[in-house]
Amino acid sequence: MTDPSGRLVSAAEPIVLSWSGGKDSALALARLLDDPRVEVVGLLTTVTAGYDRVSIHGVRRALLHAQADSIGVPVHEVTLQPESSNEAYDAALANALDRLRERHPEVRRLAFGDIFLEDVRQYREQRIATSGYGAFFPLWGEATDVLAREVISRGIEARLVCVDTDALPAAFAGRRYEESLLADLPDGTDPCGENGEFHTFVSAGPGFREPIPYEVGEVVMRGERFAFCDLVPAGAALAG
């Protein structure tokens, strides 16, 4: 397909993927890459100012940008202050989506890796609708035990970076996401961590041109509940 000037133009729908940097985002990316009807043209990630890390996951921003570089698409940041209110989040998201439209005026929908939390889905749909965007959920409604094994079978290399110790022992922080980890999860734990039991960082998988090199740092407790495993870009100092 060509435009009036004769240049080749993709017939696929351009989509921006909401990107936490974890395995569900990576599996959603893999599904989108499999779909000839869509083309991923960017990532959208929430980061916390001051900490210079991905919100909730606690992953260093440098690793987020290493992921985007490996995937070969730009990352657009929703910047929050620490302990932001819902109103502050909504304002930051609206601002980020305004900037996204300037960069990608052709984009009409955002994709998300959510699986079954209906309230989260509705919240996302409502928030982005105010900025004129629709939503797409490529993993929605699928069995999480099947999705967990698809993550592994597709070669998505993930590591647990945040563990809710109300659901899992802190010792799970820092473990690789693999069959042995799934076998060790306590009864009642969602194998994808969809209820917030854990969050992950992905260093390789479909769409990554090369793996993200990193070193495993220390595990620290935050708020007497969440265990965070610090991942450090390879060659960087184990500090900060």
Side-chain angles (χ1 to χ4, degrees):
M1 178 179 178
T2 60
D3 66 12
S5 66
R7 294 175 301 181
L8 288 175
V9 178
S10 172
E13 176 192 359
I15 280 184
V16 168
L17 172 62
S18 178
W19 179 261
S20 69
K23 59 175 180 46
D24 296 337
S25 293
L27 183 56
L29 173 65
R31 293 285 189 86
L32 294 171
L33 293 175
D34 289 343
D35 189 342
R37 298 170 300 176
V38 299
E39 177 186 4
V40 177
V41 297
L43 309 174
L44 183 70
T45 305
T46 302
V47 299
T48 303
Y51 296 119
D52 210 28
R53 293 175 183 259
V54 176
S55 301
I56 301 177
H57 288 224
V59 170
R60 295 174 187 238
R61 187 164 165 264
L63 289 173
L64 163 67
H65 283 267
Q67 289 177 320
D69 289 344
S70 183
I71 295 167
V73 297
V75 60
H76 305 274
E77 297 181 357
V78 180
T79 305
L80 298 179
Q81 297 302 316
E83 301 181 7
S84 288
S85 65
N86 287 339
E87 292 77 13
Y89 171 79
D90 290 346
L93 176 62
N95 179 267
L97 293 180
D98 285 344
R99 288 184 281 111
L100 178 66
R101 178 169 287 106
E102 293 176 359
R103 181 73 179 273
H104 297 288
E106 74 282 6
V107 171
R108 297 292 180 267
R109 290 196 296 170
L110 308 181
F112 298 88
D114 300 291
I115 304 171
F116 64 69
L117 297 177
E118 186 63 42
D119 58 336
V120 173
R121 174 171 178 154
Q122 290 180 4
Y123 181 80
R124 297 197 194 284
E125 290 175 331
Q126 291 166 1
R127 294 284 76 74
I128 67 172
T130 62
S131 294
Y133 288 99
F136 179 38
F137 297 84
L139 309 181
W140 187 259
E142 299 189 34
T144 53
D145 58 338
V146 176
L147 289 175
R149 286 169 173 81
E150 183 178 347
V151 167
I152 296 168
S153 67
R154 278 181 173 259
I156 295 173
E157 297 182 10
R159 188 177 299 273
L160 273 62
V161 290
C162 176
V163 167
D164 182 350
T165 61
D166 282 357
L168 292 175
F172 276 85
R175 288 188 57 177
R176 289 175 57 88
Y177 190 79
E178 54 193 357
E179 288 287 352
S180 61
L181 179 134
L182 297 180
D184 290 343
L185 291 175
D187 291 344
T189 303
D190 186 83
C192 285
E194 183 71 351
N195 295 307
E197 297 97 329
F198 58 86
H199 303 286
T200 59
F201 169 78
V202 166
S203 59
F208 283 66
R209 291 180 292 198
E210 56 188 11
I212 309 301
Y214 67 88
E215 300 171 12
V216 179
E218 64 178 342
V219 174
V220 298
M221 292 295 300
R222 303 291 187 197
E224 300 182 353
R225 176 175 173 179
F226 295 97
F228 287 90
C229 177
D230 190 23
L231 303 183
V232 184
L238 286 168

